[in-house]
Structures are given as C-alpha cells and as structure tokens.
Amino acid sequence: MARVNNINPTGPTTGETPPHAAPPPADPTPAARPRKASRWGGCLPWAIGLAVLLAVFAIWKFPSFKAQAELGSAYAARVGCSCRYVQGRSLESCQSDFEPGMDMVSLSEDPATKTVTGSVPLLASRSARYAGASGCLLRPDN
C-alpha cells in the first residue's frame, strides 16, 4: 500500500497526522465595555425637548391655528354668556351647547361684571359681557 487515496481517513489508525486548522481570525473590534448609564437617560430628553419646541413653533408660526382659536373662544364666550345670563343656566351646562370639536375651549365667568370668558390654552381668549336688553356683546378690547 504505497499509495493513499482521498477516501482513506486520516488519524491515529492510519498513522498520519491531520493537517492543523488555521486559528479563527481575531475580532477586529475590541471587546465592548458596558456603557455607564447616563444621568439623563440618553437622547430621550433631547427628543422630547425638540418635539415641544417644534409644537410651540408650529402654534405661533401658522396664523390659521391662532385665527381658529380666536374664533372658537369668541363663539364660546358669546354662547356661554347668553346661556348663563339670558337663559339663567349654570356655566357647566352651557358647555353642552358647543359645536363638536370644541373640547379645548374652556369657559370662566366673572359674576360681578356679568362677563364670560372663553379661552383656548396658550392661543386665544375672548370675553362677552351681558348688556341687558341687548343681550351679550363681545368685548372689543381683547
């Protein structure tokens, strides 16, 4: 048996030594150390801050938002004043007279001056005053 073919196994039974396999390549990146948890929790506070700034910019930049808020608060003040001082209902029951979509408008009253104020937070505020036989009138000084 002078000749060995490729089918014969290598190993201790044949007396041949198997060829040595090359060692696995080393990882090019060093072992990552665990990062120390930051005090503020990463970039989440930055993202929240940016979102708040963009929202404030959008509210003040686009006049249509402000115009709709002015219109809604004026309507709410006029309807709320008529409901409260002409019909004699409570201010809480007057909010049920609002059109759908006016959830952000809130009412407040000043009983001493018979004035009802409708407001949209951070955007607009309008007041209506009870004027006797004339009903409720929007105050022009707003």
Side-chain angles (χ1 to χ4, degrees), residues 1-138:
M1 249 188 139
R3 212 174 139 152
V4 177
N5 62 18
N6 290 340
I7 300 174
N8 291 336
T10 59
T13 58
T14 60
E16 297 178 22
T17 59
H20 292 292
D27 190 12
T29 59
R33 293 182 297 177
R35 296 182 84 191
K36 182 179 177 185
S38 70
R39 182 174 152 186
W40 299 105
C43 64
L44 181 63
W46 290 102
I48 291 172
L50 182 63
V52 168
L53 286 176
L54 286 174
V56 169
F57 175 75
I59 288 170
W60 292 110
K61 179 65 178 168
F62 300 111
S64 65
F65 290 144
K66 189 156 176 63
Q68 288 178 355
E70 285 282 336
L71 181 63
S73 61
Y75 173 79
R78 170 69 172 72
V79 168
C81 178
S82 296
C83 171
R84 177 72 179 108
Y85 294 109
V86 175
Q87 295 178 355
R89 294 169 40 200
S90 70
L91 199 60
E92 291 79 27
S93 71
C94 296
Q95 288 187 337
S96 65
D97 294 345
F98 290 170
E99 294 294 320
M102 292 185 61
D103 300 327
M104 291 194 63
V105 181
S106 62
L107 291 178
S108 62
E109 72 173 317
D110 182 10
T113 60
K114 292 188 177 183
T115 302
V116 174
T117 302
S119 62
V120 176
L122 301 175
L123 287 177
S125 177
R126 294 293 306 262
S127 297
R129 183 180 55 83
Y130 178 65
S134 299
C136 290
L137 305 173
L138 286 173

